[in-house]
Every structure is written in C-alpha cells, then in structure tokens.
Amino acid sequence: MSVLTAPPVLSPWRDRRFRFFAAGNTVNNLGEAVYTVALPLLVFQLTGSLVVMSLLVALTPATLLLGPVLGTVVDRWGPRVLVVPGLVIQLAAAVALNLLGLAEHAPLWPLFVFGALVQVGGAMYRMGWMTGVASMFPDNAVRARGSLGSLYVVTNVVGPLFVALALTRVSYAGLLWLNVATFLAPILVWLAGVHPPRVAPPRRGTRFVGEMADGWRVLRERPLMLNATLVMLPMLLVGTAGTMTLAIFRLSDEWRISAQAVSGILVAVRIAMVVGTLAVSERRGFGYRGLVLVGTVGMGLSMLVMATGSLPLFVVGFVAAFAFQSALSVADDMMLIRYLPADALGRAGGILGLIQGAAVLAGPLLTPPISAVLGPSATFAVLGVLELTGLLWLARSWRAWHPSNSGGMS
C-alpha cells in the first residue's frame, strides 16, 4: 500500500466505547468553546480594554508551546498520567476563577492566573487523550482521531451560537459555571472504564531531557511527517484568528455590512469548516499528498479571491478558505496518528506542536501591521501568496512522500 493512500478502515463509530468516549469529549469541548467566547466578552465588559481581552485570548494558543514537555511526559509514563490531572486542574482553576474573578469589584489577576491554569490543564488533557487514541482504538485509530477532530470543530461552531442564544437568559457568570459542569463528563467516561491502558514504567537511568530531544530523531527518521508540517506552516500563519478578524473588519468597514449579515456569513464559514473536516475524517481512504496539494492550492486561491473588490466573491472566498483550512488541520491530526510510532507520539507530536504553535501565535501579530500599511484588500493578496508558498516545499519534498520515509508504515 502506497504512503500516499491509507488502506480503508472501518468507521470508529461502530465501537460503543468510542461513541461513549466521543460523547464525553464533546461535552467537555463544548464547555471549552463557551468558555473561550464568554470569558473574553466578560472581561471586555468589565474593563472596556481590547488589549486585556486580546492578552486573555492569547493564553489558549500559548499552551501549544508546552507540547515537547507534555509529550515527553506521555511517552515516559503513558497518556493516563495527564488526562485526569489535567481535568482536575481545569476543574479547580475554573471554580477558583468563578469564585474570585467574578466577585464584585474583583481584581483582574484571578482571571489571568486561573485562566492560565485552565488552559494548562486543558493542554494536559488534550495531549493525554490525543496520544491515548492510538492505544484505546488500535483498529481504527486514524479515523478515530479524525472524527474527534471533526467533533472539535463542530463544538467551536455550536459554542458561540449557544452563547449568543443563552445570553438573553443566562449571564456570563452562568455560562462560566456551565463550563465547570462540563469537566465532569470526561471524568465520568474515565470512571466507566473508557481510558488509555497502563504502560510499563520507564527504564531506570533514562533521562527526561534526553528523551525529549529524542523526539527530533524520530521526526528526522520520518521526513514525511516533518515535511508535511513545513508545507502546512503557511496555512497556520494564514488561517488564524487574525485573518478572521480582518475579514470581519473589511465586511463591516468597507462594505458597511450589518452585524446581522456579518453573523450570517460567519455561520456559513463555520458550517463550511465542519464540512471540510468531515470530508477528510469520514473518508474510508485517505490520499495524503493529494489532499495537502489540493488544500494548499484551494486555500491560497480563496485568499486571492478575497483580495478582489467584489463583495460576493469575497464571501465565497471567505467561506472556501476556512473550509480548506479545516480540512488541512484534520488531515494533519490524522497523519500524526498514522505516521508517528505510538511510543514516540507524544515527544515527536509535541515538537511539531511547538513549531505549529509558534506559527499560530505569529499570525495575529503579523496581520494587523501588514493591514495598517497595505490595507485589507492587499493584505489578503499577501496572505494568499504566502499560503501558496507551501507548494514550494511540497515540490521540494515530493520524493520524500515515500513509504521508506514513513518509518516503515505504509
């Protein structure tokens, strides 16, 4: 079987354990989606400061920088060591944030301190379950990871809509307490026996730092995965919250679109993101190189369409760009499971997460100054060209997409 196309596998949804696991994970993700919308809005309501709100939002992608450390912990002691502690940290920090940060005349520091701990706990939990998928559902781990990625996108669509509908009846504080309750769902799944198996303790004399560095050796031995990440780096820079914000700004400022119309367009964008992920995660076969090629070209051309002065074309490009972005993101998730060995998934995946996290953090920092100099239309043209530069590395690494470069995994 060529590395370019994975063999067909059964859907993970046939497995009752997977359905139970996915349900608990989805409830937790939905609470996280509500939290990431409600907390910044509450802070903006309390302070009126866009800077404070932006700093709070930056806590989420910043946890990607912990990837190599958390990944080494997983490979050394197993996914179990992060899942429950991560959930407990999230639960305790969220309760403390609500009790201390939401009190009348409360200072801002609890929101940042406990908000950061919520995100750190979330990073631990996500690393644990991501690496645990391979051992929990070995017969269809790749599709299981893809399906979970699709559900994550769905929760990011439903979360903001739920906040918009619930705010007429529930306060921001009520939504944050709802988030606390959702942490109990994956804990119940664990107690029901659906969790990663135990692993053998690490060999005596092995050094933590040395093991973490060994993740790079694993990646060097599997240039396919490393090259795929480098091809997708422009996508991570371009497909960020900064680009989304710039698109909303252009719709509102240049074309004077009403808030209701902008909301409708954003709903279409989020639906397209779900479709993009499902188009990849629910396929029986999976053409890696072809999908990366099509996704990169499609996203780049969509950004160039957004640079035009036509409102209908801009909307079409906006919707298409984020559909391709979501498809590439879930493809990357599935490739991690397929092409990295289970005993090094945490370390190698953590290093890739560090590289990707740097790109995700850089995107929102680069977009505003470019737009200030060139204007929104030209900025989208720059972003489109930047996305298409990924094709240069894809062409350079074309021969590396070969079974011998996947570590013997075909």
Side-chain angles (χ1 to χ4, degrees):
M1 177 64 67
S2 169
V3 73
L4 304 181
T5 305
V9 293
L10 294 176
S11 170
W13 295 106
R14 295 170 178 257
D15 187 341
R16 183 186 63 82
R17 293 176 65 255
F18 177 78
R19 294 196 299 269
F20 195 44
F21 177 80
N25 187 65
T26 300
V27 171
N28 179 255
N29 286 339
L30 182 59
E32 180 73 11
V34 170
Y35 168 86
T36 55
V37 174
L39 184 59
L41 290 176
L42 173 63
V43 169
F44 186 73
Q45 184 184 74
L46 295 174
T47 66
S49 172
L50 183 61
V51 173
V52 174
M53 184 175 72
S54 300
L55 289 173
L56 199 63
V57 171
L59 292 175
T60 300
T63 57
L64 292 171
L65 305 182
L66 299 174
V69 175
L70 296 179
T72 304
V73 170
V74 163
D75 289 341
R76 189 175 176 88
W77 289 287
R80 299 167 61 100
V81 77
L82 288 183
V83 176
V84 173
L87 286 168
V88 171
I89 290 173
Q90 278 188 303
L91 179 60
V95 170
L97 185 150
N98 290 358
L99 292 176
L100 300 179
L102 302 183
E104 189 175 359
H105 306 303
L108 286 177
W109 70 261
L111 298 179
F112 281 93
V113 171
F114 295 116
L117 287 175
V118 167
Q119 295 305 325
V120 169
M124 293 171 61
Y125 166 66
R126 286 189 295 272
M127 176 63 76
W129 75 251
M130 183 187 73
T131 53
V133 165
S135 57
M136 293 173 64
F137 312 105
D139 294 335
N140 42 27
V142 176
R143 288 192 65 183
R145 182 65 183 90
S147 296
L148 292 170
S150 294
L151 287 173
Y152 179 75
V153 175
V154 170
T155 59
N156 282 328
V157 174
V158 175
L161 294 177
F162 181 82
V163 171
L165 294 174
L167 276 178
T168 59
R169 299 182 179 180
V170 183
S171 65
Y172 287 119
L175 291 174
L176 294 177
W177 279 112
L178 173 65
N179 174 52
V180 170
T182 63
F183 293 137
L184 299 176
I187 293 177
L188 292 175
V189 172
W190 180 285
L191 294 176
V194 183
H195 49 65
R198 295 183 182 277
V199 299
R203 300 185 308 274
R204 297 186 64 179
T206 56
R207 296 187 176 182
F208 185 86
V209 175
E211 290 183 23
M212 187 163 54
D214 191 58
W216 180 250
R217 177 191 59 79
V218 173
L219 290 175
R220 291 294 300 271
E221 293 176 352
R222 289 161 175 77
L224 184 150
M225 197 62 240
L226 189 57
N227 280 306
T229 299
L230 294 175
V231 171
M232 293 187 192
L233 274 184
M235 178 271 291
L236 296 167
L237 278 166
V238 172
T240 62
T243 302
M244 181 78 75
T245 302
L246 182 62
I248 296 171
F249 174 80
R250 192 178 184 199
L251 287 168
S252 303
D253 182 71
E254 183 174 332
W255 285 298
R256 305 296 179 184
I257 301 297
S258 67
Q260 291 80 0
V262 171
S263 298
I265 293 171
L266 291 178
V267 169
V269 169
R270 292 187 173 105
I271 291 174
M273 293 172 69
V274 173
V275 172
T277 61
L278 292 176
V280 175
S281 66
E282 302 308 312
R283 288 172 59 90
R284 287 180 59 82
F286 188 69
Y288 300 109
R289 184 169 63 183
L291 193 145
V292 172
L293 173 62
V294 171
T296 301
V297 172
M299 188 173 177
L301 293 180
S302 297
M303 287 289 176
L304 294 178
V305 168
M306 294 175 70
T308 66
S310 167
L311 175 58
L313 287 178
F314 180 87
V315 173
V316 170
F318 189 14
V319 172
F322 280 89
F324 284 116
Q325 185 263 349
S326 291
L328 287 172
S329 294
V330 77
D332 181 58
D333 289 341
M334 296 172 74
M335 291 174 72
L336 285 172
I337 297 294
R338 176 154 184 79
Y339 290 113
L340 293 180
D343 60 353
L345 182 59
R347 285 168 290 164
I351 291 173
L352 294 179
L354 175 64
I355 297 171
Q356 295 168 349
V360 171
L361 284 172
L365 299 178
L366 293 175
T367 302
I370 295 175
S371 178
V373 174
L374 301 179
S377 182
T379 300
F380 282 112
V382 171
L383 294 175
V385 172
L386 178 61
E387 171 63 22
L388 292 174
T389 60
L391 297 175
L392 299 176
W393 194 269
L394 181 60
R396 184 183 184 279
S397 62
W398 195 260
R399 292 180 180 272
W401 295 66
H402 188 272
S404 62
N405 296 315
S406 65
M409 300 173 67
S410 61

